[in-house]
Amino acid sequence: MLLKGLKVVEFASYIAAPGAAGILGDWGADVIKVERPEGDPMRHVFADTRNAVAGNPTFAVDNRGKRAVVLDISRPEGRDALARLAATADVFLTNVRPAALKRAGLDEATLRKDNPRLVYAMVTGYGLEGPDAHLPGFDVTAFWARSGVARMHAPKGSDPFILRTGVGDHTTSMATVSAILAALYERSQTGVGRLVQTSLLATGVYTVSSDMAVQLAFGRLASNRPRTDPFDPLANFYRSSDDHWFVLNPRGGGADWKALTRACGRPDLADDERFANGRSRRIHSAELVKELEAAFVAFTFDEVRARLDGEDLVWAPVQTPAEVVADPQVAAAGGWVEVEDGQGGHFRSPAAPARFPGADQPVRPAPPGLGEHTRAVLSELGYSEGEIEALFASGAAA
C-alpha cells in the first residue's frame, strides 16, 4: 500500500477529520483513533456505543481499518499517554477546538517539542483566525450556509434546503488529505513537519469558486433558475415516457445544438428562429424547455439513452441511491470497497475517491470497537502491563 509505514494519530470526532484519516488508512497508513471514554458520537448512529460494525454503515465509512484507543485527557495520565503517542506519529489530526487543546497541552507548539517532524493537521469550522474562529461548526452551518453554497443552489425565490449528511464534511476530508500530503512532501525535503489547517467554511467557498470568482470580479452573480425557465435550456433536466429523469450538459458554443435536435426527434427546431443561436435560446428559454419536454417524453428511457449516445452527447441519468448501488459503472470506477463485517463476511462501503491500479486493497478491515486496541497501543509505547492496568483502574484509559 502506498502509505505503508505512515503513522497517523486521529484525535477527532464526527466526519470531516475522521474521514481524512480514513482515506489515509485506505491508502495504507496505520491510523490510531483516539477517543474520549464516551466515544465518537458517530458510533451512536444506528448502533450501540461498543459495536461499530453491525448496523452502523455511517461510522464504518470513515473508520474502517483503524485501531481504536480510549484515553481520558482530563486526567493527567490520559493526557500524557496521548502526548506520548503523538511523539511517535507522523501526523496528528484533530478537530478539537484550539483552546481546549491548548489547555490540555496538546497544541501544536507543545507536541512539536518532542516531535519536530510531526505534521499537525487541524480541521475547524471557520479557521484559526478571525472573530468567529472560536465558533463550533458543522457542514450544514459552515460549509453549506455561511459559505454561500446553500443560497447559490436554491433557485431564485425558493426556500433554502438542508444538505445531505456529510457532503461538506467529506469534501473537507479530501482537502485535508491534500494538505497533509503536501506537508509530508515538504518534510521529506526539510526534515521538519508543519501545522496545516482546513476549514469547512473555506472548503465551501472553494467548491463554488468558479462562481465566486465572478462575484469577486463583477460584484454580482446570476441566481439559479427553476428547471422550467433555466438560463440555458440545453443544460437542463428532462423526463422520458416511463418517468426516468436525465440531465443534458451539452458542450459550449452551441456545438451540440443540431445533434440535440436530432436526438430528441425534432430536427426542425434547428431552423426555428426563436432558437437560432445561444442568445435567442436564452430569451426563449421557457418555450424551448416546453418543446424539448414534449419531444423527449415521446421516448422511453432506453430509447433516450440510445439516441443521446448515438449523437455522442454529454448527459447522465438522474439516479436514485438504489440505482447507484446497482450501477455497474460505479463499481467499475472503484466506487465501492469491501469491508469485513467482524463475523467472517464482508459488506460494501463507499470507497476513498481515488484508485491506484495494481495497489488497490480488495478488502478493508472492519471498523474498530470502542477501545479495542487500547492495551496493544499502550504496550507499543513502552507501557508495562502494570502501568496499563493502573491506567485502566484510574479511568485514564479504557
Side-chain angles (χ1 to χ4, degrees), residues 157-194:
S158 65
D159 294 338
F161 50 89
I162 288 290
L163 181 68
R164 298 294 302 197
T165 303
V167 174
D169 286 318
H170 284 127
T171 307
T172 304
S173 297
M174 292 186 284
T176 304
V177 169
S178 299
I180 289 170
L181 294 179
L184 288 170
Y185 177 78
E186 181 189 49
R187 189 186 73 175
S188 73
Q189 309 299 307
T190 66
V192 179
R194 71 156 53 244

Side-chain angles (χ1 to χ4, degrees), residues 79 83 101-102 104-115 118 120:
R79 178 266 165 209
L101 292 166
K102 180 72 173 178
L106 295 169
D107 55 295
E108 184 253 347
T110 302
L111 294 185
R112 188 166 304 288
K113 292 176 183 177
D114 292 323
N115 187 357
L118 184 67
Y120 191 104

Side-chain angles (χ1 to χ4, degrees), residues 30-110:
D30 175 19
V31 179
I32 300 173
K33 182 181 183 70
V34 179
E35 299 171 80
R36 301 174 192 269
E38 64 271 21
D40 186 334
M42 294 306 294
R43 287 186 179 275
H44 300 271
V45 179
F46 307 125
D48 66 81
T49 302
R50 298 200 68 88
N51 188 345
V53 181
N56 198 343
T58 302
F59 182 80
V61 167
D62 300 315
N63 294 285
R64 57 192 177 228
K66 296 178 182 179
R67 296 196 286 165
V69 171
V70 170
L71 296 173
D72 185 352
I73 67 165
S74 70
R75 300 175 184 271
E77 308 96 320
R79 178 266 165 209
D80 291 345
L82 179 51
R84 195 161 157 179
L85 182 58
T88 69
D90 295 291
V91 179
F92 184 84
L93 174 58
T94 185
N95 63 356
V96 176
R97 290 200 235 181
L101 292 166
K102 180 72 173 178
R103 287 193 300 271
L106 295 169
D107 55 295
E108 184 253 347
T110 302

Side-chain angles (χ1 to χ4, degrees), residues 110-175:
T110 302
L111 294 185
R112 188 166 304 288
K113 292 176 183 177
D114 292 323
N115 187 357
R117 290 175 54 81
L118 184 67
V119 172
Y120 191 104
M122 296 195 69
V123 181
T124 67
Y126 298 104
L128 296 178
E129 300 176 1
D132 294 335
H134 65 287
L135 294 177
F138 285 128
D139 68 342
V140 75
T141 57
F143 172 92
W144 183 241
R146 188 157 185 180
S147 70
V149 181
R151 178 70 72 177
M152 292 166 67
H153 280 78
K156 186 176 182 179
S158 65
D159 294 338
F161 50 89
I162 288 290
L163 181 68
R164 298 294 302 197
T165 303
V167 174
D169 286 318
H170 284 127
T171 307
T172 304
S173 297
M174 292 186 284

Side-chain angles (χ1 to χ4, degrees), residues 185-376:
Y185 177 78
E186 181 189 49
R187 189 186 73 175
S188 73
Q189 309 299 307
T190 66
V192 179
R194 71 156 53 244
L195 171 68
V196 302
Q197 71 94 17
T198 56
S199 69
L200 293 162
L201 178 62
T203 302
V205 171
Y206 182 75
T207 61
V208 288
S209 56
S210 296
D211 280 327
M212 281 297 183
V214 174
Q215 179 70 43
L216 288 168
F218 303 118
R220 58 191 177 89
L221 184 68
S223 300
N224 254 7
R225 293 167 63 171
R227 189 193 67 81
T228 53
D229 187 21
F231 179 76
D232 182 357
L234 305 190
N236 200 15
F237 296 87
Y238 294 97
R239 188 162 43 184
S240 65
S241 62
D242 46 354
D243 206 31
H244 286 277
W245 286 97
F246 57 94
V247 64
L248 304 173
N249 191 18
R251 301 165 183 90
D256 287 342
W257 167 232
K258 289 187 177 180
L260 180 58
T261 64
R262 294 192 297 269
C264 74
R266 289 291 307 279
D268 58 294
L269 292 176
D271 300 319
D272 192 315
E273 292 184 0
R274 295 173 298 170
F275 315 132
N277 54 52
R279 182 175 182 275
S280 62
R281 287 193 288 271
R282 285 193 295 274
I283 292 172
H284 299 282
S285 175
E287 297 168 64
L288 182 51
V289 168
K290 290 181 180 179
E291 295 282 7
L292 293 175
E293 282 181 331
F296 279 118
V297 81
F299 301 106
T300 66
F301 180 72
D302 286 342
E303 291 170 332
V304 168
R305 180 194 299 274
R307 297 178 76 91
L308 294 174
D309 287 345
E311 295 288 351
D312 194 32
L313 291 167
V314 184
W315 74 283
V318 180
Q319 299 198 127
T320 66
E323 289 168 334
V324 173
V325 167
D327 188 337
Q329 189 56 47
V330 174
W336 315 118
V337 64
E338 293 290 328
V339 180
E340 295 173 356
D341 64 6
Q343 301 172 10
H346 303 153
F347 63 93
R348 275 195 304 173
S349 185
R355 293 193 69 181
F356 305 96
D360 288 326
Q361 190 167 353
V363 180
R364 293 288 293 139
L370 182 62
E372 181 178 339
H373 304 94
T374 301
R375 293 180 183 276

